[in-house]
Amino acid sequence: METKEISQAVVSRLPRYYRYLGDLKDEGVERISSQELSKLMHVTASQIRQDFNHFGGFGQQGYGYNTEYLYREIGKILGLDHAHNMILIGAGNLGSALVGYMNYRNRGFFFKAAFDVNPAKVGTDIAGIPVYAMDQMADVIEREKIDIVVLTIPKQEAVKVAQVLAATPIRAIWNFAHCDLAVPDSIQVENVHLSDSLMRLSYNIRQHEEGRRKKKQ
Amino acid sequence: METKEISQAVVSRLPRYYRYLGDLKDEGVERISSQELSKLMHVTASQIRQDFNHFGGFGQQGYGYNTEYLYREIGKILGLDHAHNMILIGAGNLGSALVGYMNYRNRGFFFKAAFDVNPAKVGTDIAGIPVYAMDQMADVIEREKIDIVVLTIPKQEAVKVAQVLAATPIRAIWNFAHCDLAVPDSIQVENVHLSDSLMRLSYNIRQHEEGRRKKKQ
């Protein structure tokens, strides 16, 4: 399948399709048209068809898409048919929450170990995974064939750890530190900047208030 | 200042400018040109100037922008010159991490209370804020003049809570539940779908691998 020139905007919409299709599948819906999906997801049917056409269209017939097939195919495009081994760096509250809270295992994401600078945490378990000292990172990455590293440490430390990770065979960093990371092109970085998200929210509140004030004038 | 027709793409870049300018200010850098900022942030200088022009350009002189002024002005655009009162719904690991981990107070975000369905948690404190029963939500929202609600509960509950919130005077929901929320237009919603983010990462790993395989052929 040719999926080379897909923009990140389209890519960003795929997980949402996957989420809705998973729910529909669980509810026993066998087929769904782009019109029905459009109503459910509040996007236009033409947007849906355009997005799907990037991946060959998934064979919509007159009576719609096969829900299970579409769910599975989008899962494959998202790489969810491969298992991913993960480690957590920073066994604090956020890190522990990520390991415990989300249902990664269902989708092939396996946390193998955590690492922390705090000697009191080393040797303990968080949410069922062992916590190691930072200097064991490279060994564990090799031994456990880790491909995704989850960074939940302050930004100064994150910059240093990223330099260490750059020399390992990992394939991606899921970065929760409040900074951008400089790593080789072979390592994909997905940033979750929570404070950026909160600021965007604050911006939208302000814009909405301003709009309301102008209407009143 | 006219900021009505700004696209969400531009808005999404503002917090990142704010973050870099904050660091520069803390390092004592008094002035910075769009070229210098461009190198630091890995975006083109023309993109920076275009983005800033949406907000009147911030008066770049021959010798660049005044760092402190630019930081403060972008902060105002982001609504950070107003205090925001917040509550957390769902005093689990992720919620506790959000209250404790991030340095909200510095930017005018104040957590006033948390709410949980678990009676064992009600009456306790998490990260310094009191945990109440769910049925006290509307009262606390009114009393504490809450404008932002942070939702860290499972999606079935989130949908129900959003219906309750729709009847309160809150202005925004920061939604960590794995679903989209149906609320009136007067309530801004900012979604943090962590599993979507992880799937995007998985997609980019797969694309990179495919690209490498094709090069080898």
Side-chain angles (χ1 to χ4, degrees):
Chain A
M1 196 181 298
E2 183 57 72
T3 56
K4 237 172 84 185
E5 301 290 344
I6 315 297
S7 77
Q8 285 291 315
V10 177
V11 173
S12 285
R13 288 194 289 270
L14 286 181
R16 191 160 176 259
Y17 289 122
Y18 189 74
R19 191 149 40 86
Y20 276 85
L21 289 164
D23 287 348
L24 288 166
K25 183 180 70 70
D26 291 347
E27 289 161 14
V29 176
E30 284 182 20
R31 301 198 75 87
I32 188 151
S33 67
S34 50
Q35 285 78 12
E36 290 165 315
L37 204 52
S38 153
K39 265 184 216 154
L40 204 62
M41 296 184 63
H42 302 283
V43 290
T44 65
S46 112
Q47 161 105 81
I48 292 173
R49 283 190 300 264
Q50 266 178 44
D51 283 348
F52 289 0
N53 279 339
H54 287 294
F55 305 99
F58 304 118
Q60 148 136 291
Q61 313 278 332
Y63 46 102
Y65 303 100
N66 177 311
T67 313
E68 173 117 35
Y69 172 78
L70 188 51
Y71 175 77
R72 208 173 45 233
E73 288 302 307
I74 293 179
K76 276 188 213 164
I77 292 166
L78 289 169
L80 304 178
D81 52 342
H82 297 289
H84 293 289
N85 293 327
M86 305 170 86
I87 55 171
L88 173 73
I89 303 183
N93 279 323
L94 180 61
S96 307
L98 288 174
V99 177
Y101 183 75
M102 289 174 80
N103 203 359
Y104 294 142
R105 268 160 224 269
N106 281 345
R107 287 180 181 148
F109 297 93
F110 301 93
F111 270 111
K112 297 290 186 177
F115 297 84
D116 205 278
V117 289
N118 182 351
K121 286 185 181 168
V122 174
T124 67
D125 268 32
I126 60 160
I129 61 164
V131 182
Y132 295 101
M134 297 293 275
D135 60 10
Q136 293 184 265
M137 211 162 58
D139 284 351
V140 173
I141 285 172
E142 195 169 340
R143 191 176 71 223
E144 299 279 359
K145 298 186 172 50
I146 299 303
D147 47 8
I148 302 178
V149 172
V150 183
L151 273 193
T152 54
I153 49 181
K155 66 178 173 183
Q156 288 80 357
E157 288 174 51
V159 170
K160 281 181 225 156
V161 168
Q163 285 170 351
V164 176
L165 291 172
T168 71
I170 64 156
R171 292 152 76 191
I173 298 176
W174 199 22
N175 176 38
F176 287 78
H178 299 177
C179 62
D180 302 311
L181 301 175
V183 290
D185 286 345
S186 60
I187 300 180
Q188 312 303 308
V189 177
E190 168 81 15
N191 292 308
V192 183
H193 291 318
L194 294 175
S195 61
D196 287 16
S197 166
L198 189 56
M199 286 189 228
R200 212 154 48 221
L201 186 67
S202 169
Y203 174 89
N204 285 326
I205 290 176
R206 181 178 166 279
Q207 283 308 105
H208 182 79
E209 294 292 306
E210 255 185 24
R212 230 173 42 171
R213 242 191 333 263
K214 274 181 195 153
K215 261 192 204 157
K216 276 189 192 160
Q217 281 168 2
Chain B
M1 198 181 296
E2 184 56 72
T3 56
K4 237 172 83 184
E5 301 289 344
I6 314 297
S7 78
Q8 286 291 315
V10 177
V11 173
S12 285
R13 287 194 288 269
L14 286 181
R16 189 159 177 261
Y17 289 123
Y18 189 74
R19 191 150 39 88
Y20 275 85
L21 289 164
D23 287 346
L24 288 166
K25 182 180 70 70
D26 291 347
E27 288 160 17
V29 176
E30 285 181 19
R31 300 199 74 87
I32 187 149
S33 67
S34 51
Q35 285 78 10
E36 289 165 316
L37 204 51
S38 154
K39 263 183 217 155
L40 204 60
M41 295 184 63
H42 301 286
V43 291
T44 65
S46 112
Q47 162 106 80
I48 292 173
R49 284 190 301 264
Q50 266 178 43
D51 284 348
F52 289 0
N53 278 339
H54 287 292
F55 306 98
F58 304 116
Q60 148 136 293
Q61 315 276 332
Y63 46 102
Y65 303 100
N66 177 311
T67 312
E68 174 115 35
Y69 172 78
L70 189 53
Y71 175 77
R72 207 171 48 233
E73 288 301 306
I74 293 179
K76 277 189 211 164
I77 292 166
L78 288 169
L80 304 178
D81 52 343
H82 297 290
H84 293 288
N85 293 328
M86 306 170 87
I87 56 171
L88 172 74
I89 302 184
N93 279 326
L94 180 61
S96 306
L98 288 174
V99 177
Y101 183 74
M102 289 174 81
N103 204 359
Y104 294 143
R105 266 159 225 270
N106 281 346
R107 286 179 182 149
F109 298 93
F110 300 92
F111 270 111
K112 296 291 185 175
F115 297 84
D116 205 279
V117 289
N118 183 353
K121 286 185 183 169
V122 174
T124 66
D125 269 31
I126 59 160
I129 61 164
V131 182
Y132 296 101
M134 296 294 274
D135 59 9
Q136 294 184 266
M137 211 163 57
D139 284 351
V140 173
I141 285 173
E142 197 170 338
R143 192 176 72 225
E144 298 279 0
K145 298 187 172 53
I146 300 303
D147 47 8
I148 302 178
V149 172
V150 183
L151 274 192
T152 55
I153 50 181
K155 66 178 174 183
Q156 287 80 358
E157 288 174 51
V159 170
K160 282 182 224 154
V161 168
Q163 284 170 351
V164 177
L165 292 172
T168 70
I170 63 155
R171 292 153 75 190
I173 297 176
W174 199 21
N175 176 39
F176 288 78
H178 297 178
C179 62
D180 302 312
L181 301 175
V183 290
D185 286 346
S186 60
I187 300 179
Q188 312 303 308
V189 178
E190 169 81 15
N191 293 307
V192 182
H193 291 319
L194 293 176
S195 61
D196 287 16
S197 165
L198 189 57
M199 286 188 227
R200 211 153 47 221
L201 185 66
S202 169
Y203 174 90
N204 285 326
I205 290 175
R206 181 178 166 276
Q207 283 308 106
H208 182 79
E209 293 293 304
E210 256 185 24
R212 229 173 43 172
R213 244 194 326 267
K214 275 183 194 150
K215 262 191 204 156
K216 276 190 193 160
Q217 280 167 2

